Amino acid sequence: MDRRDYIDRWLDEWSWANYDLALRPMAVSKRITRIARRLEKVAADALGPLGLDVGEFDVLAALLRAGPPHEVTPTVLNQSLMMSAGGLTKRLGRLEEREMITRRLSPDDRRSLLVTLTDVGKSLAEQAVTAHTKVTAEVIDRIGVDSREQLSDLLRELLLSVDEPGAGSPRPTEHETGEQGEEPVVGRGVE
């Protein structure tokens, strides 16, 4: 059985190069990117029948994950989802139109908003999280529990190293923000 993947073949294609390229680290990056794209496609396929796109799911899942009363500020959502304030506002508007969420002034700070799952939104979020975790597990668990845990540990280590202050971690890309033409803003309030 050939245990070589597309990235191995890609590395072979660079064999002609007589200049120094850091291809092994790039191979890791390319594998992570390809797997992420596959997982996003699987997620989109699972969420589509529920009438959700991946971005809307991310918002509903973040609110559900917050626990009762399933209510957070837009700033918390913005930081959790690593997206622009404008992109978040658009998603919240779409979800509010569909009566999945409500937005109201915070009773503790009248300058701040609270975003809350409605009963309809909570029910849909529960269905979506169940569908999403099922299809994700079907992909990830192909490598076995021990390998999955080892991979998770290694990816955590890498993620922590790039998220450390001063590590020069890149800003979220357009793909991560889910919105085109908008500057990603992490941690700036939209309240």
Side-chain angles (χ1 to χ4, degrees), residues 41-59:
K41 169 84 170 83
V42 166
D45 291 347
L47 298 170
L50 297 173
L52 290 174
D53 65 31
V54 174
E56 294 166 336
F57 165 76
D58 287 343
V59 172

Side-chain angles (χ1 to χ4, degrees), residues 6-190:
Y6 170 80
I7 305 303
D8 290 317
R9 292 186 292 279
W10 175 81
L11 289 170
D12 290 345
E13 290 172 1
W14 281 103
S15 64
W16 65 268
N18 61 358
Y19 42 87
D20 188 27
L21 298 173
L23 293 176
R24 292 294 171 189
M26 181 63 75
V28 173
S29 170
K30 292 292 184 186
R31 285 187 174 106
I32 290 170
T33 300
R34 285 181 69 89
I35 291 167
R37 288 181 180 154
R38 295 254 176 109
L39 288 170
E40 287 176 0
K41 169 84 170 83
V42 166
D45 291 347
L47 298 170
L50 297 173
L52 290 174
D53 65 31
V54 174
E56 294 166 336
F57 165 76
D58 287 343
V59 172
L60 295 178
L63 289 165
L64 185 64
R65 185 174 62 241
H70 307 294
E71 181 174 81
V72 298
T73 65
T75 298
V76 169
L77 286 173
N78 180 273
Q79 291 169 342
S80 171
L81 302 176
M82 291 181 49
M83 65 180 307
S84 70
L88 178 61
T89 299
K90 288 178 185 178
R91 285 185 190 169
L92 294 178
R94 289 191 308 259
L95 291 168
E96 191 171 39
E97 285 176 12
R98 294 173 56 199
E99 300 181 352
M100 301 292 157
I101 63 157
T102 60
R103 290 183 275 188
R104 65 183 175 88
L105 289 175
S106 170
D108 300 328
D109 180 357
R110 303 293 286 169
R111 297 168 296 161
S112 181
L113 289 176
L114 292 173
V115 179
T116 310
L117 274 178
T118 63
D119 290 341
V120 172
K122 182 177 179 281
S123 176
L124 183 60
E126 290 169 340
Q127 291 175 52
V129 166
T130 300
H132 184 270
T133 56
K134 180 179 183 235
V135 297
T136 300
E138 288 172 0
V139 172
I140 301 296
D141 287 345
R142 291 177 185 178
I143 62 173
V145 174
D146 292 341
S147 294
R148 179 194 69 206
E149 293 308 310
Q150 181 182 13
L151 177 61
S152 183
D153 291 342
L154 291 169
L155 291 171
R156 179 186 307 106
E157 186 176 326
L158 179 60
L159 185 58
L160 288 170
S161 75
V162 298
D163 282 349
E164 288 175 353
S169 62
R171 296 170 59 117
T173 64
E174 174 183 301
H175 182 57
E176 289 172 321
T177 65
E179 302 296 329
Q180 294 180 352
E182 295 180 12
E183 176 107 1
V185 180
V186 178
R188 185 167 39 178
V190 290

